[in-house]
Amino acid sequence: MMKFRFRRQGADPQREKLKQELFAFNKTVEHGFPNQPSALAFDPELRIMAIGTRSGAVKIYGAPGVEFTGLHQDTATVTQMHFLPGQGRLLTLLDDSSLHLWEIAHRNGCAHLEEALSFQPPSRPGFDGASGPLSLARVTVVLLVAAGDMAALGTEGGSIFFLDVPTLTLLEGRTLVPDEVLRSVPDDYRCGKALGPVESLQGHLRDPTKILIGYSRGLLVIWNQAAQCADRVFLGNQQLESLCWERSGSTLVSSHSDGSYAVWSADAGDSPMTQPTVATTPYGPFPCKAINKILWRNCESGDHFIIFSGGMPRASYGDRHCVSVLRAETLVTLDFTSRIIDFFTVHSTRPEDEFDEPQALAVLLEEELVVLDLQTPGWPAVPAPYLAPLHSSAITCSAHVANVPAKLWARIVSAGEQQSPQPASSSSSWPITGGRNLAQEPSQRGLLLTGHEDGTVRFWDASGVALRPLYKLSTAGLFQTDCEHADSLAQAAEDDWPPFRKVGCFDPYSDDPRLGVQKVALCKYTAQMVVAGTAGQVLVLELSDVPLEQAVSVASVDLLQDREGFTWKGHERLSPRTGPLLWPAGFQPRVLVQCLPPAAVTAVTLHAEWSLVAFGTSHGFGLFDYQRRSPVLARCTLHPNDSLAMEGPLSRVKSLKKSLRQSFRRIRKSRVSGKKRAANATSKLQEANAQLAEQACPHDVEMTPVQRRIEPRSADDSLSGVVRCLYFADTFLRDAAHHGPTMWAGTNSGSVFAYALEVPAAAGGEKRPERAVEAVLGKEVQLMHRAPVVAIAVLDGRGRPLPEPYEASRDLAQAPDMQGGHAVLIASEEQFKVFTLPKVSAKTKFKLTAHEGCRVRKVALATFASVACEDYAETCLACLTNLGDVHVFSVPGLRPQVHYSCIRKEDISGIASCVFTRHGQGFYLISPSEFERFSLSARNITEPLCSLDISWPRDSTRASHRLRESPKLSQANGTPGIVLASRSRDGSPDPGHSKGADTPEPPEAMLSPMSMDSATSADTTLDTTGDVTVEDVKDFLGSSEESENLRNLAEDEARACAILIK
């Protein structure tokens, strides 16, 4: 008898209210280093720093936890930024010559970054219909004068315009044109040659009426604004790059395009000076590259600092990125691995102080920020409490561990402090300390683990807003690599000229791609972890507080099981070092398990209580007893036609003919099956459908969505043997009366293998006996459509996931219900299904692909706590799809709760890198160097909450130029912000937004009253592979129409200028 289910009951109001208390989607903070930085600024009074990017983002940083982010209306490069000292205001210049004024405003006790005004310079006469005497060429340099109330704009045409900063309007009658400057220049210097663009503008610290002007041709002029005349003229003939005015105003230093710099005396009479006091090419005499920027800082001891970028010998070291620090006879050439964007010194700027006395040098590079302590001998680097380059080596995998015990946390921090001479937690030497972090101190700690291409695993403090580096684990020392002579080369070059000194940790080159980390797993109760790599290496490590010299046990597991007809064509295995090796304090390897063939490890899991580790590759899976150093199980999952799996990831080239042939077979099969189904349809079924369609539907029910027809996948698909997930559980597998250890494995072809394990019981808290562990295949499940199995989890009698190893035995979590019937949740790429145990009969399911038309990419079980009631929480299933949407389902009922659009579906790498936490948060890469943090929980939110002490010179001026906010959301690199209503270029508000500044903000723009950190987040127990698959690329290529609609929508939303609320 056929059953028809066309209707379902409507929404329950009580349940809808409960959903609002449990679930809420927020993109909260961006961790890591800004992608593609382009500008730098520092406020010496507030001690805050700003970084601008090529995408138009503005990020302001202070003390750890103090962060503000904004986004310009247009996607234009930020070329310059200047703080109005002590006012919390920032003037930005974009590459389209537009100027924007940002404010850090306080509301509800917290600070927010807002764009107040913008200014687009008028174009040249005759272009764009512009008329009038004022016309600006491209703005090349900006200088704030008169305490920030006025700005001087140097242009490409050589003119200097003056701008009123509070209103962003041009001051008429103040423009300084090149002809006016040339009157003070001798006739023989003019010689019909133009001065060129304005390259530099510098202000005098003690006399704000004087401006030092540098033209590209080399002419330097000290211009007196009060007298409107030139006080001094310096006739330079070399192309100018940069200028710096010494603190007292008696000395100038200029840098040039030939790699030289010159020192000029400003007190040597009134006649034009033709020759500098000192002119030198520090890295000559051979041709050198330009010195792009130079700084002069004096000290009470008499030895001044000269700091400059560039100037390296063009032929020998023209490709180096260097900043040179010269003091007396000491010269250090800081050698970086990425391009230099800008740099500044932290020094005294009070007019009453006689000397600069620089404390620190901050260098912004394209891939990292480096700060040097100039007061400590040797000028050591200062560890950064945030802005660490996550991508110092490319990230290959990530995992999150929450609720880290205090003892383990202290041991990891201690191991990290031994790796660096100065602890990263020491904030006294970090010079950027502005603002106050108002967020509560996290009661529990969260770890973010990132695996990298060079074989390292980095531990990050993810408890709060600032992602702080704690410890770095390196696995390369265990293996013999091809590039071990790099250290000897570096030592041999120490005595050479220039005196290079390697600075920074960004190193994009890996010694050997086989070292890449593919999977990591950490047991937070025993301080044991597993690191699995690209060449089939699986390392079991244990945390030690002291250095040890010991040998590492090596074992091999053959996953092919002597199957004939298969030949591995990929890379060779890594050769381990023999004999005792010295390991520093931290995680030290105990056992190395080598998978054969040495394919990349695709899944790994650890059970410290049973001393077992399971691992899987594209050929099969294995089980290893690391206490007895012996393999327990090896199972080959290869299909007879699975030849592609033997080629390896480093040499894999898929056959185009085979792919096309399989595609045509699927199309032909679907057409034939469709015709058969149409021919077998009966007239009675058609009549029944017609009668049901004619019936009127009541108002309290809704129609169920039409399910898509899913074609089963072919059994001989390539890479069908890839092991996607592994899982340990103490549950009922053999019968309903006896439970015991089990291991579950899911593959790319929809196969699930369940093994019953015989693990010798441990007496009390001691280690288990030395008897061998046995594994017997208990169940084998084949999903109907052969969809890849993404995750497996066992639910106890109450429908809750089983606790982690040692959680229940140490009373750290509620013991599982072993009386009622257990169930296993199997998540494939197409559907979620719950089976009863031990019979493995289907109980409930939800067909995600059939209903939503998407495929599952990431899955995790998470606990969502209620905002209204502290004691109420629900365990749900969080799922990320290939379209970038996040869905939440109830467990074990698998009822859809909420879904949100999280990641752009075109962002394949972002979707592949996503990792969930066990308390409703998540991370994904929005660029190679940045993690976006988001929250699905209404209660557990990690977001910046900070304040800044600001002194406004005129409160009325500030209030009159504030823009009223609109609750429409936008994004800065993925983080939601608040879009501001547009303001006309002359500073007057739009007619639709003509209310005063005292108009109350809309409710959507206010701070959420509940802001809690995510210290209760836990590790992702159902981790899936982070590789970009062929399906991901197909999804991306097949979404051109939808991406066009998305682009149009983004253009509509980008008409107003966006800021971030925190």
Side-chain angles (χ1 to χ4, degrees), residues 636-648:
C636 182
T637 56
L638 282 178
H639 190 272
N641 295 335
D642 211 355
S643 59
L644 189 61
M646 305 308 296
E647 296 180 7

Side-chain angles (χ1 to χ4, degrees), residues 927-969:
S927 72
S929 59
E930 288 175 291
F931 270 113
E932 176 74 69
R933 188 174 193 145
F934 64 91
S935 175
L936 303 174
S937 171
R939 182 170 174 178
N940 293 309
I941 301 175
T942 302
E943 56 188 351
L945 294 174
C946 49
S947 66
L948 200 62
D949 295 329
I950 299 173
S951 58
W952 287 91
R954 292 183 303 276
D955 288 339
S956 58
T957 303
R958 167 182 173 264
S960 63
H961 295 286
R962 281 275 305 280
L963 292 180
R964 184 178 181 272
E965 292 182 359
S966 165
K968 190 176 181 181
L969 292 181

Side-chain angles (χ1 to χ4, degrees), residues 585-842:
F587 282 93
Q588 301 169 348
R590 298 287 187 261
V591 182
L592 168 63
V593 183
Q594 179 63 56
C595 301
L596 297 176
V601 178
T602 56
V604 73
T605 187
L606 170 71
H607 201 293
E609 200 167 359
W610 302 338
S611 299
L612 296 176
V613 58
F615 45 86
T617 69
S618 56
H619 305 121
F621 56 88
L623 181 64
F624 191 84
D625 180 358
Y626 60 85
Q627 179 176 320
R628 299 184 70 250
R629 277 30 174 202
S630 63
V632 177
L633 166 71
R635 171 69 183 259
C636 182
T637 56
L638 282 178
H639 190 272
N641 295 335
D642 211 355
S643 59
L644 189 61
M646 305 308 296
E647 296 180 7
L650 303 182
S651 62
R652 183 176 300 158
V653 180
K654 189 171 183 179
S655 169
L656 179 61
K657 291 183 179 180
K658 183 177 180 181
S659 177
L660 291 174
R661 191 181 304 119
Q662 292 176 349
S663 299
F664 281 117
R665 284 176 181 172
R666 290 196 189 99
I667 294 173
R668 195 178 303 117
K669 185 187 296 183
S670 63
R671 288 176 177 172
V672 173
S673 60
K675 291 178 181 179
K676 290 181 179 179
R677 277 191 290 269
N680 295 333
T682 62
S683 59
K684 292 183 179 180
L685 181 58
Q686 294 175 357
E687 293 174 2
N689 288 340
Q691 292 176 1
L692 286 171
E694 292 173 359
Q695 294 178 0
C697 296
H699 296 288
D700 60 341
V701 297
E702 57 183 16
M703 302 299 294
T704 59
V706 178
Q707 292 191 16
R708 296 164 175 82
R709 181 164 55 86
I710 308 300
E711 291 297 331
R713 308 189 185 200
S714 174
D716 60 350
D717 274 356
S718 59
L719 299 179
S720 62
V722 175
V723 177
R724 295 288 295 271
C725 60
L726 293 162
Y727 179 69
F728 285 117
D730 185 357
T731 186
F732 301 89
L733 186 61
R734 292 177 173 173
D735 55 59
H738 303 89
H739 62 86
T742 61
M743 187 197 75
W744 301 72
T747 72
N748 227 26
S749 60
S751 300
V752 177
F753 304 93
Y755 283 82
L757 307 178
E758 290 290 343
V759 180
E766 300 177 0
K767 288 187 176 181
R768 62 175 177 79
E770 289 293 330
R771 298 201 312 273
V773 177
E774 297 179 2
V776 179
L777 181 62
K779 305 287 182 182
E780 185 172 346
V781 180
Q782 178 62 59
L783 301 183
M784 183 181 299
H785 288 164
R786 298 183 178 274
V789 179
V790 177
I792 301 172
V794 172
L795 309 175
D796 66 5
R798 292 186 293 265
R800 300 175 181 173
L802 298 182
E804 295 181 33
Y806 285 111
E807 271 192 335
S809 60
R810 297 185 179 183
D811 295 329
L812 300 171
Q814 186 177 2
D817 182 5
M818 309 303 285
Q819 303 300 323
H822 283 199
V824 59
L825 169 62
I826 297 177
S828 73
E829 282 192 358
E830 295 178 359
Q831 67 177 0
F832 309 116
K833 206 165 188 178
V834 176
F835 297 88
T836 61
L837 290 177
K839 293 184 178 180
V840 192
S841 58

Side-chain angles (χ1 to χ4, degrees), residues 422-466:
Q422 291 180 331
S425 58
S426 175
S427 59
S428 57
S429 57
W430 182 251
I432 305 160
T433 57
R436 294 192 307 274
N437 183 14
L438 302 180
Q440 295 181 354
E441 186 70 19
S443 57
Q444 298 172 347
R445 298 292 183 177
L447 275 177
L448 181 65
L449 310 180
T450 55
H452 298 265
E453 191 181 33
D454 61 353
T456 59
V457 178
R458 297 171 193 263
F459 291 64
W460 308 88
D461 178 4
S463 309
V465 172

Side-chain angles (χ1 to χ4, degrees), residues 1034-1047:
K1034 289 179 180 177
D1035 297 334
F1036 172 70
L1037 295 177
S1039 59
S1040 58
E1041 293 182 2
E1042 298 181 18
S1043 62
E1044 185 66 28
N1045 296 335
L1046 189 68
R1047 195 178 300 113

